[in-house]
Structure formats: C-alpha cells, structure tokens
Amino acid sequence: MTKFSANTYSEAAVASERAAIWDVLTDPELLPELTPLLQKIETDGEIWRWYLTSISALGVSIRPAFTERMTFADEHRIEYTHAPPAGATERSGAEGWYELSDIDGGTLLVISLTLCIDVPLPRAAGPAVRRIMTTTMERTGERFSKNLLAHLGVSGTPFAASH
C-alpha cells in the first residue's frame, strides 16, 4: 500500500447568518444529503465515522470510511482529525477545519481539508492519484457549495477554491 494525500482550501462569503451555516455543518444527517460522495455519518459524541460511496480510478476501486474526532468551538470553528478506533487500521482519513466569521451581510466560511488514502498502487502513480484526488475534491466542494446555498435559500457564487 502507498499513502497519497491531497489538500484543498476554499472560502466564500455566504449571505446567511453564521448560526444557520453552523447548524448545517454540525448535522450528521443533513451533511450526506448536501455532500456528493458522502453516503452517511455515524456519531458517538465527538467521534464521527464518515462513509463515502465507492470511488474508482486507475483500476482501483475503494469505498473510504474513516473515523474523525470532531471539535466544535463556539459556533465559530470546527476541527477534525483522523482518530481510528484502538486496534483498527483505516486506509483513509481527513484532517482539517471549518471557520465561520461574521461579516457585513452574512458569514465568511473558510474550509481547509487534507484527505489521505492508502491504495495498492506504486509510488510512481502519485502524480496521477493526487490529480484525481484533487479534481474529485474540487468537484465535490463545488457541488456541496451549490447545495449548501440552495439549502440556506440564498444566492451566491460557489466557494473559491485554491490549493
């Protein structure tokens, strides 16, 4: 197995109150409805287990599932770190945060995400794997952004992503 990772960073000014966005980002039943590739989330307090749909690329098919320790701070910041159960080996995981700040006319939402996966591919496949991961993360983020705005009932430009 070889470990590959990809990062994304995005931000958007959303014409909605911070509390409404916070409610969405902390709802493990709603997030899969708004997030492509996310099948479901199971929770046990601050431990959330994320299940993604099957992803196929370069002749490999994976169905990522990973456990995250979620930290929620004053409706302003959500941090998540990979926290597999004791004795368990998870071949995928995420690290990152969401930050919500009040701005004139709404909320500035900033998202930072690093996704890691172990797949049975040679290290030389790294550039292709990272390109696929980055493209998939960008498309998922764009669709999540559109779905979030629609759910909140606001218009706007989807998040501006950079890496």
Side-chain angles (χ1 to χ4, degrees):
M1 293 290 189
T2 305
K3 189 172 194 172
F4 300 98
S5 65
N7 306 305
T8 189
Y9 175 89
S10 59
E11 60 182 70
V14 181
S16 182
E17 293 182 7
R18 182 174 37 85
I21 299 169
W22 179 268
D23 288 346
V24 171
L25 297 177
T26 58
D27 186 335
E29 292 184 24
L30 180 57
L31 280 173
E33 293 177 25
L34 302 178
T35 310
L37 303 179
L38 181 56
Q39 185 178 22
K40 69 178 179 176
I41 301 171
E42 295 175 347
T43 64
D44 183 10
E46 65 183 16
I47 301 298
W48 287 25
R49 182 145 172 88
W50 300 68
Y51 295 87
L52 279 61
T53 60
S54 183
I55 302 168
S56 298
L58 300 176
V60 175
S61 183
I62 60 171
R63 180 167 285 177
F66 47 89
T67 307
E68 302 293 313
R69 179 173 308 282
M70 307 293 291
T71 304
F72 304 97
D74 301 325
E75 294 191 6
H76 285 287
R77 189 169 173 93
I78 300 168
E79 295 180 3
Y80 47 95
T81 188
H82 189 217
T89 299
E90 294 183 341
R91 301 204 183 279
S92 55
E95 302 282 336
W97 47 267
Y98 299 91
E99 192 167 271
L100 295 85
S101 304
D102 294 322
I103 58 173
D104 201 22
T107 304
L108 177 64
L109 174 58
V110 181
I111 302 170
S112 177
L113 168 67
T114 300
L115 185 62
C116 298
I117 60 168
D118 282 336
V119 291
L121 291 170
R123 190 167 308 280
V129 171
R130 280 187 288 282
R131 187 171 45 253
I132 291 167
M133 289 175 69
T134 299
T135 300
T136 301
M137 290 168 65
E138 285 174 357
R139 288 183 183 154
T140 300
E142 289 168 5
R143 289 185 49 209
F144 169 77
S145 173
K146 289 177 185 176
N147 293 342
L148 174 64
L149 295 175
H151 175 80
L152 294 169
V154 299
S155 59
T157 305
F159 298 5
S162 62
H163 305 282

PDB file of all heavy atoms in Angstrom, residues 27-33 35-43 48-53 63-66:
ATOM      1  N   ASP A  27     -24.684  18.917  11.481  1.00  0.00           N
ATOM      2  CA  ASP A  27     -25.805  17.978  11.363  1.00  0.00           C
ATOM      3  C   ASP A  27     -25.370  16.743  10.566  1.00  0.00           C
ATOM      4  O   ASP A  27     -25.313  16.782   9.328  1.00  0.00           O
ATOM      5  CB  ASP A  27     -26.976  18.662  10.665  1.00  0.00           C
ATOM      6  CG  ASP A  27     -28.225  17.805  10.624  1.00  0.00           C
ATOM      7  OD1 ASP A  27     -28.119  16.565  10.688  1.00  0.00           O
ATOM      8  OD2 ASP A  27     -29.327  18.387  10.518  1.00  0.00           O
ATOM      9  N   PRO A  28     -25.074  15.628  11.252  1.00  0.00           N
ATOM     10  CA  PRO A  28     -24.573  14.446  10.553  1.00  0.00           C
ATOM     11  C   PRO A  28     -25.607  13.756   9.665  1.00  0.00           C
ATOM     12  O   PRO A  28     -25.242  12.922   8.838  1.00  0.00           O
ATOM     13  CB  PRO A  28     -24.129  13.520  11.689  1.00  0.00           C
ATOM     14  CG  PRO A  28     -24.925  13.957  12.868  1.00  0.00           C
ATOM     15  CD  PRO A  28     -25.163  15.431  12.693  1.00  0.00           C
ATOM     16  N   GLU A  29     -26.863  14.103   9.794  1.00  0.00           N
ATOM     17  CA  GLU A  29     -27.879  13.539   8.904  1.00  0.00           C
ATOM     18  C   GLU A  29     -28.053  14.400   7.653  1.00  0.00           C
ATOM     19  O   GLU A  29     -28.311  13.880   6.567  1.00  0.00           O
ATOM     20  CB  GLU A  29     -29.203  13.383   9.642  1.00  0.00           C
ATOM     21  CG  GLU A  29     -29.120  12.303  10.719  1.00  0.00           C
ATOM     22  CD  GLU A  29     -30.446  12.048  11.405  1.00  0.00           C
ATOM     23  OE1 GLU A  29     -31.501  12.332  10.803  1.00  0.00           O
ATOM     24  OE2 GLU A  29     -30.409  11.561  12.547  1.00  0.00           O
ATOM     25  N   LEU A  30     -27.888  15.696   7.776  1.00  0.00           N
ATOM     26  CA  LEU A  30     -28.046  16.606   6.643  1.00  0.00           C
ATOM     27  C   LEU A  30     -26.805  16.635   5.746  1.00  0.00           C
ATOM     28  O   LEU A  30     -26.929  16.708   4.519  1.00  0.00           O
ATOM     29  CB  LEU A  30     -28.363  18.019   7.148  1.00  0.00           C
ATOM     30  CG  LEU A  30     -28.550  19.100   6.090  1.00  0.00           C
ATOM     31  CD1 LEU A  30     -29.663  18.732   5.109  1.00  0.00           C
ATOM     32  CD2 LEU A  30     -28.835  20.440   6.761  1.00  0.00           C
ATOM     33  N   LEU A  31     -25.622  16.566   6.323  1.00  0.00           N
ATOM     34  CA  LEU A  31     -24.393  16.664   5.525  1.00  0.00           C
ATOM     35  C   LEU A  31     -24.349  15.669   4.364  1.00  0.00           C
ATOM     36  O   LEU A  31     -23.993  16.063   3.253  1.00  0.00           O
ATOM     37  CB  LEU A  31     -23.162  16.508   6.413  1.00  0.00           C
ATOM     38  CG  LEU A  31     -22.767  17.755   7.190  1.00  0.00           C
ATOM     39  CD1 LEU A  31     -21.636  17.436   8.168  1.00  0.00           C
ATOM     40  CD2 LEU A  31     -22.365  18.882   6.266  1.00  0.00           C
ATOM     41  N   PRO A  32     -24.724  14.395   4.542  1.00  0.00           N
ATOM     42  CA  PRO A  32     -24.709  13.483   3.396  1.00  0.00           C
ATOM     43  C   PRO A  32     -25.704  13.865   2.296  1.00  0.00           C
ATOM     44  O   PRO A  32     -25.474  13.558   1.124  1.00  0.00           O
ATOM     45  CB  PRO A  32     -25.065  12.121   4.003  1.00  0.00           C
ATOM     46  CG  PRO A  32     -24.664  12.237   5.436  1.00  0.00           C
ATOM     47  CD  PRO A  32     -24.948  13.669   5.793  1.00  0.00           C
ATOM     48  N   GLU A  33     -26.774  14.542   2.649  1.00  0.00           N
ATOM     49  CA  GLU A  33     -27.732  14.988   1.638  1.00  0.00           C
ATOM     50  C   GLU A  33     -27.143  16.104   0.773  1.00  0.00           C
ATOM     51  O   GLU A  33     -27.494  16.244  -0.392  1.00  0.00           O
ATOM     52  CB  GLU A  33     -29.011  15.487   2.300  1.00  0.00           C
ATOM     53  CG  GLU A  33     -29.808  14.410   3.009  1.00  0.00           C
ATOM     54  CD  GLU A  33     -31.034  14.971   3.714  1.00  0.00           C
ATOM     55  OE1 GLU A  33     -31.548  16.040   3.303  1.00  0.00           O
ATOM     56  OE2 GLU A  33     -31.480  14.340   4.687  1.00  0.00           O
ATOM     57  N   THR A  35     -23.674  16.669   0.435  1.00  0.00           N
ATOM     58  CA  THR A  35     -22.300  16.396   0.023  1.00  0.00           C
ATOM     59  C   THR A  35     -22.222  15.198  -0.912  1.00  0.00           C
ATOM     60  O   THR A  35     -22.465  14.066  -0.492  1.00  0.00           O
ATOM     61  CB  THR A  35     -21.410  16.137   1.263  1.00  0.00           C
ATOM     62  OG1 THR A  35     -21.597  17.177   2.206  1.00  0.00           O
ATOM     63  CG2 THR A  35     -19.944  16.055   0.866  1.00  0.00           C
ATOM     64  N   PRO A  36     -21.864  15.426  -2.170  1.00  0.00           N
ATOM     65  CA  PRO A  36     -21.680  14.305  -3.090  1.00  0.00           C
ATOM     66  C   PRO A  36     -20.606  13.354  -2.553  1.00  0.00           C
ATOM     67  O   PRO A  36     -19.670  13.787  -1.879  1.00  0.00           O
ATOM     68  CB  PRO A  36     -21.193  14.965  -4.378  1.00  0.00           C
ATOM     69  CG  PRO A  36     -21.615  16.384  -4.259  1.00  0.00           C
ATOM     70  CD  PRO A  36     -21.597  16.706  -2.795  1.00  0.00           C
ATOM     71  N   LEU A  37     -20.761  12.098  -2.834  1.00  0.00           N
ATOM     72  CA  LEU A  37     -19.856  11.025  -2.432  1.00  0.00           C
ATOM     73  C   LEU A  37     -19.966  10.642  -0.957  1.00  0.00           C
ATOM     74  O   LEU A  37     -19.444   9.610  -0.557  1.00  0.00           O
ATOM     75  CB  LEU A  37     -18.389  11.326  -2.762  1.00  0.00           C
ATOM     76  CG  LEU A  37     -18.059  11.611  -4.214  1.00  0.00           C
ATOM     77  CD1 LEU A  37     -16.568  11.909  -4.354  1.00  0.00           C
ATOM     78  CD2 LEU A  37     -18.452  10.455  -5.107  1.00  0.00           C
ATOM     79  N   LEU A  38     -20.615  11.462  -0.139  1.00  0.00           N
ATOM     80  CA  LEU A  38     -20.769  11.136   1.280  1.00  0.00           C
ATOM     81  C   LEU A  38     -22.060  10.346   1.461  1.00  0.00           C
ATOM     82  O   LEU A  38     -23.148  10.867   1.239  1.00  0.00           O
ATOM     83  CB  LEU A  38     -20.780  12.405   2.128  1.00  0.00           C
ATOM     84  CG  LEU A  38     -20.919  12.228   3.638  1.00  0.00           C
ATOM     85  CD1 LEU A  38     -19.837  11.312   4.202  1.00  0.00           C
ATOM     86  CD2 LEU A  38     -20.886  13.592   4.318  1.00  0.00           C
ATOM     87  N   GLN A  39     -21.917   9.080   1.841  1.00  0.00           N
ATOM     88  CA  GLN A  39     -23.068   8.197   1.979  1.00  0.00           C
ATOM     89  C   GLN A  39     -23.788   8.401   3.304  1.00  0.00           C
ATOM     90  O   GLN A  39     -24.999   8.544   3.353  1.00  0.00           O
ATOM     91  CB  GLN A  39     -22.613   6.746   1.839  1.00  0.00           C
ATOM     92  CG  GLN A  39     -23.726   5.742   1.854  1.00  0.00           C
ATOM     93  CD  GLN A  39     -23.182   4.331   1.656  1.00  0.00           C
ATOM     94  OE1 GLN A  39     -22.022   4.041   1.900  1.00  0.00           O
ATOM     95  NE2 GLN A  39     -24.052   3.452   1.215  1.00  0.00           N
ATOM     96  N   LYS A  40     -23.016   8.387   4.412  1.00  0.00           N
ATOM     97  CA  LYS A  40     -23.621   8.586   5.730  1.00  0.00           C
ATOM     98  C   LYS A  40     -22.539   8.913   6.744  1.00  0.00           C
ATOM     99  O   LYS A  40     -21.349   8.733   6.487  1.00  0.00           O
ATOM    100  CB  LYS A  40     -24.394   7.346   6.180  1.00  0.00           C
ATOM    101  CG  LYS A  40     -23.526   6.151   6.494  1.00  0.00           C
ATOM    102  CD  LYS A  40     -24.369   4.968   6.975  1.00  0.00           C
ATOM    103  CE  LYS A  40     -23.469   3.761   7.258  1.00  0.00           C
ATOM    104  NZ  LYS A  40     -24.225   2.648   7.805  1.00  0.00           N
ATOM    105  N   ILE A  41     -22.992   9.405   7.906  1.00  0.00           N
ATOM    106  CA  ILE A  41     -22.116   9.680   9.041  1.00  0.00           C
ATOM    107  C   ILE A  41     -22.766   9.047  10.266  1.00  0.00           C
ATOM    108  O   ILE A  41     -23.950   9.260  10.523  1.00  0.00           O
ATOM    109  CB  ILE A  41     -21.941  11.194   9.290  1.00  0.00           C
ATOM    110  CG1 ILE A  41     -21.365  11.891   8.064  1.00  0.00           C
ATOM    111  CG2 ILE A  41     -21.077  11.429  10.524  1.00  0.00           C
ATOM    112  CD1 ILE A  41     -21.366  13.418   8.178  1.00  0.00           C
ATOM    113  N   GLU A  42     -21.983   8.290  11.013  1.00  0.00           N
ATOM    114  CA  GLU A  42     -22.432   7.761  12.305  1.00  0.00           C
ATOM    115  C   GLU A  42     -21.690   8.535  13.386  1.00  0.00           C
ATOM    116  O   GLU A  42     -20.501   8.816  13.236  1.00  0.00           O
ATOM    117  CB  GLU A  42     -22.112   6.270  12.425  1.00  0.00           C
ATOM    118  CG  GLU A  42     -22.872   5.410  11.442  1.00  0.00           C
ATOM    119  CD  GLU A  42     -22.441   3.948  11.494  1.00  0.00           C
ATOM    120  OE1 GLU A  42     -21.391   3.628  12.106  1.00  0.00           O
ATOM    121  OE2 GLU A  42     -23.148   3.125  10.889  1.00  0.00           O
ATOM    122  N   THR A  43     -22.396   8.874  14.459  1.00  0.00           N
ATOM    123  CA  THR A  43     -21.763   9.669  15.508  1.00  0.00           C
ATOM    124  C   THR A  43     -21.827   8.976  16.861  1.00  0.00           C
ATOM    125  O   THR A  43     -22.747   8.213  17.154  1.00  0.00           O
ATOM    126  CB  THR A  43     -22.438  11.042  15.637  1.00  0.00           C
ATOM    127  OG1 THR A  43     -23.790  10.856  16.052  1.00  0.00           O
ATOM    128  CG2 THR A  43     -22.398  11.801  14.336  1.00  0.00           C
ATOM    129  N   TRP A  48     -16.979  10.919  14.951  1.00  0.00           N
ATOM    130  CA  TRP A  48     -17.852  10.771  13.779  1.00  0.00           C
ATOM    131  C   TRP A  48     -17.185   9.802  12.815  1.00  0.00           C
ATOM    132  O   TRP A  48     -16.001   9.952  12.499  1.00  0.00           O
ATOM    133  CB  TRP A  48     -18.054  12.105  13.072  1.00  0.00           C
ATOM    134  CG  TRP A  48     -18.933  13.085  13.788  1.00  0.00           C
ATOM    135  CD1 TRP A  48     -19.189  13.161  15.116  1.00  0.00           C
ATOM    136  CD2 TRP A  48     -19.644  14.169  13.187  1.00  0.00           C
ATOM    137  NE1 TRP A  48     -20.013  14.223  15.388  1.00  0.00           N
ATOM    138  CE2 TRP A  48     -20.313  14.852  14.211  1.00  0.00           C
ATOM    139  CE3 TRP A  48     -19.771  14.621  11.887  1.00  0.00           C
ATOM    140  CZ2 TRP A  48     -21.100  15.966  13.976  1.00  0.00           C
ATOM    141  CZ3 TRP A  48     -20.560  15.734  11.643  1.00  0.00           C
ATOM    142  CH2 TRP A  48     -21.223  16.396  12.686  1.00  0.00           C
ATOM    143  N   ARG A  49     -17.931   8.826  12.328  1.00  0.00           N
ATOM    144  CA  ARG A  49     -17.425   7.885  11.322  1.00  0.00           C
ATOM    145  C   ARG A  49     -18.095   8.235  10.001  1.00  0.00           C
ATOM    146  O   ARG A  49     -19.312   8.207   9.876  1.00  0.00           O
ATOM    147  CB  ARG A  49     -17.722   6.450  11.718  1.00  0.00           C
ATOM    148  CG  ARG A  49     -17.167   5.457  10.711  1.00  0.00           C
ATOM    149  CD  ARG A  49     -16.672   4.188  11.393  1.00  0.00           C
ATOM    150  NE  ARG A  49     -16.315   3.177  10.428  1.00  0.00           N
ATOM    151  CZ  ARG A  49     -15.125   3.060   9.867  1.00  0.00           C
ATOM    152  NH1 ARG A  49     -14.163   3.888  10.192  1.00  0.00           N
ATOM    153  NH2 ARG A  49     -14.879   2.108   8.990  1.00  0.00           N
ATOM    154  N   TRP A  50     -17.274   8.590   9.007  1.00  0.00           N
ATOM    155  CA  TRP A  50     -17.710   9.044   7.702  1.00  0.00           C
ATOM    156  C   TRP A  50     -17.621   7.892   6.706  1.00  0.00           C
ATOM    157  O   TRP A  50     -16.581   7.230   6.616  1.00  0.00           O
ATOM    158  CB  TRP A  50     -16.814  10.189   7.225  1.00  0.00           C
ATOM    159  CG  TRP A  50     -16.814  11.391   8.129  1.00  0.00           C
ATOM    160  CD1 TRP A  50     -16.297  11.462   9.398  1.00  0.00           C
ATOM    161  CD2 TRP A  50     -17.337  12.676   7.855  1.00  0.00           C
ATOM    162  NE1 TRP A  50     -16.468  12.720   9.913  1.00  0.00           N
ATOM    163  CE2 TRP A  50     -17.104  13.488   8.988  1.00  0.00           C
ATOM    164  CE3 TRP A  50     -17.975  13.232   6.748  1.00  0.00           C
ATOM    165  CZ2 TRP A  50     -17.496  14.818   9.045  1.00  0.00           C
ATOM    166  CZ3 TRP A  50     -18.365  14.565   6.810  1.00  0.00           C
ATOM    167  CH2 TRP A  50     -18.126  15.346   7.951  1.00  0.00           C
ATOM    168  N   TYR A  51     -18.686   7.661   5.943  1.00  0.00           N
ATOM    169  CA  TYR A  51     -18.734   6.615   4.924  1.00  0.00           C
ATOM    170  C   TYR A  51     -18.943   7.269   3.563  1.00  0.00           C
ATOM    171  O   TYR A  51     -19.942   7.951   3.355  1.00  0.00           O
ATOM    172  CB  TYR A  51     -19.892   5.652   5.186  1.00  0.00           C
ATOM    173  CG  TYR A  51     -19.757   4.855   6.458  1.00  0.00           C
ATOM    174  CD1 TYR A  51     -20.209   5.363   7.673  1.00  0.00           C
ATOM    175  CD2 TYR A  51     -19.180   3.596   6.441  1.00  0.00           C
ATOM    176  CE1 TYR A  51     -20.082   4.630   8.842  1.00  0.00           C
ATOM    177  CE2 TYR A  51     -19.057   2.846   7.612  1.00  0.00           C
ATOM    178  CZ  TYR A  51     -19.512   3.379   8.803  1.00  0.00           C
ATOM    179  OH  TYR A  51     -19.389   2.645   9.973  1.00  0.00           O
ATOM    180  N   LEU A  52     -18.007   7.046   2.658  1.00  0.00           N
ATOM    181  CA  LEU A  52     -18.120   7.578   1.309  1.00  0.00           C
ATOM    182  C   LEU A  52     -18.594   6.475   0.363  1.00  0.00           C
ATOM    183  O   LEU A  52     -18.464   5.297   0.668  1.00  0.00           O
ATOM    184  CB  LEU A  52     -16.784   8.128   0.826  1.00  0.00           C
ATOM    185  CG  LEU A  52     -16.424   9.548   1.303  1.00  0.00           C
ATOM    186  CD1 LEU A  52     -16.334   9.650   2.800  1.00  0.00           C
ATOM    187  CD2 LEU A  52     -15.146  10.012   0.653  1.00  0.00           C
ATOM    188  N   THR A  53     -19.137   6.891  -0.768  1.00  0.00           N
ATOM    189  CA  THR A  53     -19.530   5.927  -1.788  1.00  0.00           C
ATOM    190  C   THR A  53     -18.275   5.392  -2.461  1.00  0.00           C
ATOM    191  O   THR A  53     -17.178   5.928  -2.293  1.00  0.00           O
ATOM    192  CB  THR A  53     -20.454   6.570  -2.839  1.00  0.00           C
ATOM    193  OG1 THR A  53     -19.756   7.653  -3.455  1.00  0.00           O
ATOM    194  CG2 THR A  53     -21.739   7.067  -2.215  1.00  0.00           C
ATOM    195  N   ARG A  63     -13.862   2.146  -1.204  1.00  0.00           N
ATOM    196  CA  ARG A  63     -15.036   2.676  -0.525  1.00  0.00           C
ATOM    197  C   ARG A  63     -14.549   3.224   0.818  1.00  0.00           C
ATOM    198  O   ARG A  63     -14.581   2.528   1.820  1.00  0.00           O
ATOM    199  CB  ARG A  63     -16.095   1.603  -0.333  1.00  0.00           C
ATOM    200  CG  ARG A  63     -17.318   2.164   0.390  1.00  0.00           C
ATOM    201  CD  ARG A  63     -18.466   1.244   0.329  1.00  0.00           C
ATOM    202  NE  ARG A  63     -18.969   1.356  -1.037  1.00  0.00           N
ATOM    203  CZ  ARG A  63     -19.954   0.654  -1.521  1.00  0.00           C
ATOM    204  NH1 ARG A  63     -20.550  -0.228  -0.769  1.00  0.00           N
ATOM    205  NH2 ARG A  63     -20.355   0.810  -2.763  1.00  0.00           N
ATOM    206  N   PRO A  64     -14.058   4.462   0.818  1.00  0.00           N
ATOM    207  CA  PRO A  64     -13.466   5.003   2.040  1.00  0.00           C
ATOM    208  C   PRO A  64     -14.454   5.124   3.191  1.00  0.00           C
ATOM    209  O   PRO A  64     -15.616   5.503   3.010  1.00  0.00           O
ATOM    210  CB  PRO A  64     -12.990   6.399   1.612  1.00  0.00           C
ATOM    211  CG  PRO A  64     -12.914   6.344   0.128  1.00  0.00           C
ATOM    212  CD  PRO A  64     -13.982   5.387  -0.296  1.00  0.00           C
ATOM    213  N   ALA A  65     -13.969   4.782   4.365  1.00  0.00           N
ATOM    214  CA  ALA A  65     -14.678   5.005   5.623  1.00  0.00           C
ATOM    215  C   ALA A  65     -13.607   5.374   6.636  1.00  0.00           C
ATOM    216  O   ALA A  65     -12.550   4.730   6.688  1.00  0.00           O
ATOM    217  CB  ALA A  65     -15.434   3.770   6.057  1.00  0.00           C
ATOM    218  N   PHE A  66     -13.839   6.424   7.381  1.00  0.00           N
ATOM    219  CA  PHE A  66     -12.815   6.860   8.323  1.00  0.00           C
ATOM    220  C   PHE A  66     -13.462   7.516   9.531  1.00  0.00           C
ATOM    221  O   PHE A  66     -14.581   8.013   9.482  1.00  0.00           O
ATOM    222  CB  PHE A  66     -11.798   7.792   7.657  1.00  0.00           C
ATOM    223  CG  PHE A  66     -12.403   8.882   6.820  1.00  0.00           C
ATOM    224  CD1 PHE A  66     -12.739  10.107   7.367  1.00  0.00           C
ATOM    225  CD2 PHE A  66     -12.633   8.671   5.465  1.00  0.00           C
ATOM    226  CE1 PHE A  66     -13.282  11.105   6.584  1.00  0.00           C
ATOM    227  CE2 PHE A  66     -13.164   9.663   4.667  1.00  0.00           C
ATOM    228  CZ  PHE A  66     -13.501  10.889   5.226  1.00  0.00           C
TER     229      PHE A  66
END
